[in-house]
Amino acid sequence: MRISVSSDMDEPVARLLVEELRARGHDVRAYGALDPAADPRWAVCSEQAAREVAAGRADQAVVCCWTGTGASIAANKVPGVRAALCTDAYTADGARRWNDANVLAIGLRLTSGPLLREILDAWFAAGPSEDADDRDNVTHVERLDEGRRAAR
């Protein structure tokens, strides 16, 4: 799977994220502080990683900043992206299952190595729900994106 990763800080957990994804066999493209030539601002690098997903050049993305909040906000401004800030495995599972999230947001401050692995395990083990209500909600969010595109 092709995964775009961004971080506004070159923190140990961000480096571990890239290592862990590669160890799981994913093709990783790094943005922000993880690429010395890139703009490390959370709004910029999160947008870049999210745009890779929206354009189909990446299957998913993981965006990181100190709390994960800014990275998730920036990623969610990109039409076609459903970013979820996940602080535990249960939230990661639900984000993939009920929300069909395609971008995972992680906070660098409180995410330890073991917790990161648990979140990734849950994220990659879950798939989108086939439940009609869940699909209707995702379809509604997609229509919101279409409305934003038309308003431009």
Side-chain angles (χ1 to χ4, degrees):
M1 184 179 301
R2 291 168 300 159
I3 302 178
S4 296
V5 176
S6 70
S7 180
D8 66 338
M9 302 169 74
D10 186 8
E11 289 287 314
V13 72
R15 289 190 304 273
L16 176 62
L17 170 63
V18 171
E19 292 170 17
E20 185 68 26
L21 290 171
R22 287 184 174 143
R24 292 171 184 235
H26 300 294
D27 178 19
V28 176
R29 169 84 194 268
Y31 294 91
L34 300 171
D35 175 359
D39 189 333
R41 293 176 295 165
W42 59 262
V44 173
C45 64
S46 298
E47 176 194 5
Q48 290 172 325
R51 285 203 182 281
E52 292 294 301
V53 173
R57 292 185 296 267
D59 301 299
Q60 296 181 3
V62 183
V63 296
C64 306
C65 69
W66 194 238
T67 65
T69 305
S72 66
I73 290 170
N76 273 316
K77 296 298 181 182
V78 176
V81 167
R82 292 176 302 281
L85 174 56
C86 298
T87 57
D88 57 53
Y90 182 80
T91 306
D93 175 79
R96 288 287 299 131
R97 185 178 317 274
W98 301 311
N99 311 124
D100 195 7
N102 52 12
V103 174
L104 170 63
I106 298 281
L108 298 170
R109 179 175 179 266
L110 297 176
T111 306
S112 65
L115 179 57
L116 174 67
R117 288 181 189 95
E118 289 175 10
I119 291 169
L120 292 175
D121 287 345
W123 180 266
F124 290 117
S129 169
E130 295 301 322
D131 179 80
D133 288 339
D134 296 334
R135 297 310 313 156
D136 284 347
N137 279 309
V138 172
T139 299
H140 183 82
V141 170
E142 289 169 344
R143 282 195 300 267
L144 293 172
D145 279 341
E146 291 169 10
R148 286 192 329 189
R149 284 187 196 108
R152 289 183 178 176

